[in-house]
Amino acid sequence: MSRERQVAAQFNAMKQDLDRQRRDTIQFNIYQREADTNRELYDALLQRYKEIGVAGSVGASNIAVVDQAEPSTSPSAPKLSVNLGIALLIGIGLALAAVLALEQIDEGIRSPADVWHLLKLPLLGNVPLTGGDPMDELADVKSRISESYFSIRSALAFSTTHGLPSSLAVVSTQPSEGKSTTAAALATIIGRTGKSVLLVDADLRSPSVHHLMEVPNVRGFSNLLTGDDDVQACLTKTSLKGLSVMPTGPLPPSPSELLSSDRLAEVIAMLCTEFDHVIFDAPPVLGLADAPLIGRAVEGSIYVIEPGRAPVRGIRSAIQRIQMLGGVLFGVIVTKIDLTRQHYGYSYGYGYGYGYGYGYGDGYSYGSNRKDNSDERDAA
C-alpha cells in the first residue's frame, strides 16, 4: 500500500509539473508574439524616420528666384524673314538650273533672233504662218506672205556682186519645213519683176512641186540628168508671169549616183542659158546626199528653218555637210512664224506720206514706202 501511495504521489507531482510547463509554454508564446509585433513596429518607425530625414534634406537648397519668368510674345524659331530669304535663294538657284537644263535639252530655233546667235548665218527674212494655202495668199501682192518673200528677194539681191544668183537651191534640215513653198514663192516673186524664172523639182525621192504648181509630172529633171537635151519638152509654162516649172519626171532608182555625175553641172549650165534664174527645190539634207551635191553645183543655197522643228545640232550638221562639199549658203529663211506668239507688228499704207512696210521687234526691219518698193522692182 505504501508503494502504491508513493507511486500515486509521484504521478501527481509529475502531473503538476506538466501543467506548469504548459502554462509556461503558453506565456512564452505570448511574449514571443509581443516581441515580433514590437520588432515590426520598430522597423516601420525606423523606415518612416529615414524617409522624413531624406525629405528634410531635399527641402534645403541654395537656389533663389532672381526674376520672375514671363512667357515670350514671339517664337525664337523658325525666323520667317530668314527662311523666306533662304527659300528665295534656293528658288532662284533651282530656276536657273532648270533654265540651263531646258536650254540643253531643247536647242531648236525659236525665233529669227536665234539664227545668227546659234548658226552664225545671215537672216534673209521671215515668213509668217498662214491659215490657208500659201500659194493662194501669194497671189495677193498686198498680203503678208507676199511682202515677206519680196523682202527676202530684196535681201537675196545683195548676196552676190551681180545681184540675184542665176542658180539657187532651197534646202532644209527635215521635210515639211516650208522648203517647197519657199522655192515656189521666190520663183513667183522674181517672175513678177520681169525675169524669166525656172522652178526645178530636184527632190528625186519625194517630189511635190508638180502638186504645188498643179502641173503634170511626165518628163522633167531626171530626163535631163540621164542625157536628154530637150529642155523645152521637160518643162511646163505656168500662167504666172515669167515662171516655168520643171517637175522631177520619172523617179530614178539611185538619185545620189545620178546627181553625183558631171551631167548635173551641164544641166544647170544649160538651164541658166535658157532662163535668167533657176531655182531648185532640193531634198532635205539630213540622211541624204542629194542636197549637198545640188548645193555644190549651184551658185548658192538658201536654208529654210521652221521654228522649233529641228534641233540646232541637226541644223549645224546639215550646214556643215553642205559647206564641206564646197556649197555656198546665202542665208537662212525662218518660216511658219506664229505672229500671235512673236513680237511682230505690221502697218500698211499707200500714197503721199502713207508708208507701207513692216517691222520686226527683235532687231530686224525690212520694207520701205510704196515708191521705194517700185523702184527696187524696176531696178531688178
Side-chain angles (χ1 to χ4, degrees), residues 13-196:
M14 292 178 67
K15 186 177 179 181
Q16 291 177 357
D17 291 337
L18 179 62
D19 292 337
R20 187 176 61 254
Q21 289 179 358
R22 288 178 177 177
R23 288 192 298 271
D24 292 342
T25 300
I26 293 171
Q27 189 66 37
F28 175 76
N29 291 333
I30 293 172
Y31 290 152
Q32 187 175 10
R33 285 195 298 271
E34 186 177 356
D36 292 338
T37 301
N38 292 335
R39 185 180 294 107
E40 291 177 359
L41 290 175
Y42 175 76
D43 292 339
L45 289 175
L46 182 61
Q47 181 67 27
R48 183 61 179 167
Y49 175 77
K50 290 180 179 180
E51 291 177 356
I52 293 173
V54 171
S57 62
V58 170
S61 175
N62 58 355
I63 298 175
V65 177
V66 178
D67 193 4
Q68 189 68 27
E70 295 181 358
S72 178
T73 58
S74 61
S76 59
K79 294 184 178 180
L80 182 60
S81 58
V82 175
N83 290 349
L84 287 177
I86 295 174
L88 180 62
L89 292 177
I90 294 175
I92 294 175
L94 292 177
L96 291 176
V99 169
L100 293 177
L102 291 176
E103 286 292 332
Q104 294 297 323
I105 295 173
D106 185 10
E107 292 186 344
I109 300 294
R110 290 299 177 183
S111 67
D114 296 334
V115 171
W116 177 255
H117 175 66
L118 298 176
L119 303 179
K120 304 302 179 184
L121 288 175
L123 177 67
L124 296 177
N126 316 302
V127 181
L129 181 65
T130 60
D133 188 356
M135 299 307 297
D136 293 339
E137 295 193 20
L138 193 65
D140 183 8
V141 295
K142 301 177 185 178
S143 64
R144 292 179 176 179
I145 192 170
S146 294
E147 284 299 320
S148 298
Y149 280 114
F150 185 80
S151 296
I152 294 171
R153 178 258 171 215
S154 301
L156 192 60
F158 295 96
S159 60
T160 65
T161 57
H162 57 274
L164 287 173
S166 57
S167 60
L168 173 69
V170 182
V171 299
S172 65
T173 309
Q174 299 175 353
S176 304
E177 291 193 60
K179 168 179 56 62
S180 299
T181 302
T182 297
L186 286 176
T188 303
I189 293 296
I190 296 174
R192 289 177 185 173
T193 63
K195 301 292 184 178
S196 60

Side-chain angles (χ1 to χ4, degrees), residues 175 179-180 201-210 248 251 281 283-284:
K179 168 179 56 62
S180 299
D201 191 348
D203 192 348
L204 301 179
R205 302 175 188 268
S206 179
S208 59
V209 171
H210 64 285
T248 58
L251 299 182
D281 177 24

Side-chain angles (χ1 to χ4, degrees), residues 9 28 33 38 105 155 160 211 229 269 284 293 320 344 354 377:
F28 175 76
R33 285 195 298 271
N38 292 335
I105 295 173
T160 65
H211 295 296
D229 292 332
L293 293 173
Q320 186 179 10
Y344 294 86
Y354 193 12
R377 294 190 181 94

